[in-house]
Amino acid sequence: MPTILDFERPIRELEDKVSQLQSFSREHGVDVSHGVKVLEERIAEAKQKIFANLTPWQRVQLARHPDRPYPRDYVERLCTDFLELHGDRRFAEDRAIFGGFARMDGRAVMVIGTQKGRDLKENVRCNFGSAHPEGYRKALRLMRLAEKARVPIVSLIDTPGAYPGIGAEKRHIAEAIAVNLREMFRMHVPILVAVTGEGGSGGALGIGVGNRVLILENAYYSVITPEGCAAILWRDAAKAPQAAAALKLTSRDLADLEVVDEIVPEPLGGAHLDWDQAAELLGEALKRHLAELTRIPVDRLAPTRYARFRRMGILREG
Amino acid sequence: MPLFKKNRYSTLRGAARRGIPAGLWLKCKGCDGVIYRSRLEENLQLCPECGYHYPLTAQQRIELLTDKGSFTEMDGDLDSVDVLDFAGTGIYSEKLKASKKKTGMTEAVICGTAVLDEQRLALGVMDFRFLGASMGSVVGEKITRLTEFASENRLPLVIVTASGGARMYEGMLSLMQMAKTSGALAVHAELGLPYIVVMTHPTTAGVTASFASLGDVIVAEPGALIGFAGPRVIKQTTQSELPPGFQTAEFLMEHGFIDRVVPRPELRRELSLLLAYFSGALHCENAAAAV
Ligand SMILES: [Zn+2]
C-alpha cells in the first residue's frame, strides 16, 4: 500500500478513475481513449496547481514520504562498481550512514549517504536514518580514504538528524560531528553534497561541508525539526506547520538565503512517483558539478570550500 | 586579583525565619542552605558551603581570567537582524532588545584580546543570559573573526562556552555558523596554535557539536551540563531513565572527553599555566636553571 498524502489525494482519485476506465475498457472492449485523455489532462492540471503551491509543511511531508527514493536508491541508479566499506574501526558499524568507492559516469568517487529503512526491520538496523557517533566517524574514515585515493567525495543526505540517545552521548556524538566539520574543511579533494530528503540539522551538516551543496526540489534542510521548534516556541508539536513556515527550510528559501547552490528538480508530483527519473535529474546535476569541481586546482579546494561557508550569516555592522 | 583573595563566608541558615528580606538571599541549588547574595558576589558566585557554581556574567568572567584593564573588545558593533522575519510566538527583534537591556551586552558573546600573566591571548566569552547564548549569525561571525585574528597574530585562542544551541530565529543561517567556526579553527589548528576551551553550564547542541568540542585542551566547571541533545529530548526519544550524573562535566571526564574539571577558584591559575606550557615559556626557565 503506497502512502498517499492529503494533498496528493485529488490526483490519486483521478488516477484511480483512469485505471477504472481502462479495466472497464478491457473487460467490455469499449473504446475509452477520449475519457482517459480528458482525465489525464485534468491530472496534469491538478499536479501543476497543487505542486506549484505547496506549503512548507507539505514539502516536509514530501521530503519524508515513505516511498521517496533514499540515497542508496540513487547510488544503485547512478553508480557502477559500488564497493561498500564498513565500520568506524573504533566501536561499531553504523547502518545509518553507508559509503564506499563507486564509479559515477565512469568517474571514481567516494560516495557517502544516510540510510532510512522501508520497513520496521530495516529501520531497526539503520535506526530510522539517525546516525550515532560511529556513523560520523566511519564517514570521516571514508573521506580520508578518498583523499588517499584522490577521488571526489559525493555525500547524499536524507536524515531526520543525529540520534539523541544515551549511547550517542556516552560516545560523544557532538565531538564526532564537530571533528567532521573541521576535517571536511581540510580535504584536498572535491566535496559535493546533495540533500535528497530530510536535512536534519547538525546530523546532516556532519557530512555536509561541501564545495557545492545541492538540494532536491522537495527536500528540506533545517536547524531544527518543525516539531522540535513548535514544541519549544508554542509548547505544542501540533504547531509544526507554522514552525515549518517560520524556519524558511524549503529548497526555494535556502536558495534565496544562498545556503544552497542549486535546486535539483524532481519529477512532477515528487521523487517518489518516479525513482528513475528522479535519479536521472539528480545524476545530471551531480555529474555537471563534479566536472566543474575537478577542474579546480587541488590547492584551491579547501580555501574555496572555507570561503563558501565563511560568507554565511546576515548581520548589521557598525 | 581581588576576586580570589576574599575569604569564604559561612551561610546564614535560617535567614528567612529571621526575617531577612527576600532578594538579599537565596536558597542554594546545591545544598539547600540559605546564602546571602552579597556572599556569592564576594565568592566568585560559588556557594560558600557546598561550592555550587552559579553562573558568571561574561564581564565577570573576563575580570576573572585576564589581567586588570588588559581586555580590548573586538567586533562589539555587530548586531543581529531578523532576516527571516521569523513568524513565531514573539518577535525576534523584541527578544534581542530585551536581552540587550537585561545584560547590557550587544550579543551573547564578547570577544577580544587580553593579557593573562603577561601572556597575550584571543579570548571569547559566552553569556547564557543573552537568549540562552544561542548561536546566530553574530555569535558565529564574532567567534570566526576572533579565531582568524588569533591565526593572523599567532595567538593562543581561549573560548569560554555556554549555549543552549543554535538560534532558531535565524534558521539555517544559524546552523551554518557551526561549519564556519569549525572552518576557522581548522586554519588555526594547522598553524600549530593552541586552542583552549572552558566549558561552563550549560554547553549544548550546536555549540558543543562545533567549536566547543574542538579544543586542544578542554576544561569544564564542576557540575556543568555538557551534551549534544538535551536530557529531556533524550528521555523522550529513548523512553528510558538517564544514568546518574549523565552529561555533567564529571561524566564527560570519566568518559574521556574533557581534560579536567576545574573549580572556578583554580581556573585562572590553570589557564595561565596551560598558556605558559604551550608558549614554551617554561622550557626557557628550565634551560636557564640547567646553565
Ligand atoms: Zn550550596
Side-chain angles (χ1 to χ4, degrees), chain B residues 230-258:
Chain B
R232 241 175 310 164
V233 173
I234 297 172
K235 250 178 145 166
Q236 210 184 339
T237 309
T238 61
Q239 298 291 323
S240 45
E241 283 305 305
L242 306 179
F246 186 60
Q247 295 185 316
T248 59
E250 293 77 6
F251 183 92
L252 265 86
M253 194 173 85
E254 244 0 87
H255 284 79
F257 302 134
I258 62 173

Side-chain angles (χ1 to χ4, degrees), chain A residues 169 186 306 310 312 316, chain B residues 79 148 180 190 229 247:
Chain A
E169 298 284 330
R186 301 172 69 174
Y306 179 54
R310 181 65 188 86
M312 300 274 168
R316 202 182 307 122
Chain B
D79 234 343
E148 289 176 339
K180 188 165 92 179
E190 250 168 43
Q247 295 185 316

Side-chain angles (χ1 to χ4, degrees), chain A residues 164 169-170 172 174 178 185-186 201 205 221 223 233-234 246 248 254 306 309-310 312-318, chain B residues 77-79 81 83-84 86 89 137 141 144-145 148 166 172 177 179-180 183-184 190 209-210 228-229 247 257:
Chain A
E169 298 284 330
K170 275 187 168 172
H172 212 357
F185 277 110
R186 301 172 69 174
S201 192
L205 188 61
Y221 196 177
V223 67
L233 288 188
W234 285 270
K248 302 281 195 297
L254 298 174
Y306 179 54
F309 284 87
R310 181 65 188 86
M312 300 274 168
I314 298 177
L315 47 82
R316 202 182 307 122
E317 182 160 14
Chain B
D77 60 346
L78 302 195
D79 234 343
V81 279
V83 199
L84 304 189
F86 195 91
T89 46
S137 295
E141 181 69 19
T144 302
R145 287 192 191 181
E148 289 176 339
M172 277 296 283
Q177 306 310 312
K180 188 165 92 179
E190 250 168 43
S210 60
F228 178 61
Q247 295 185 316
F257 302 134

Side-chain angles (χ1 to χ4, degrees), chain B residues 11 27-33 35 46-52 54:
Chain B
T11 51
K27 196 170 159 201
C28 178
K29 287 182 195 169
C31 65
D32 278 349
I35 26 176
L46 305 187
C47 171
E49 278 301 304
C50 70
Y52 185 93
Y54 289 90

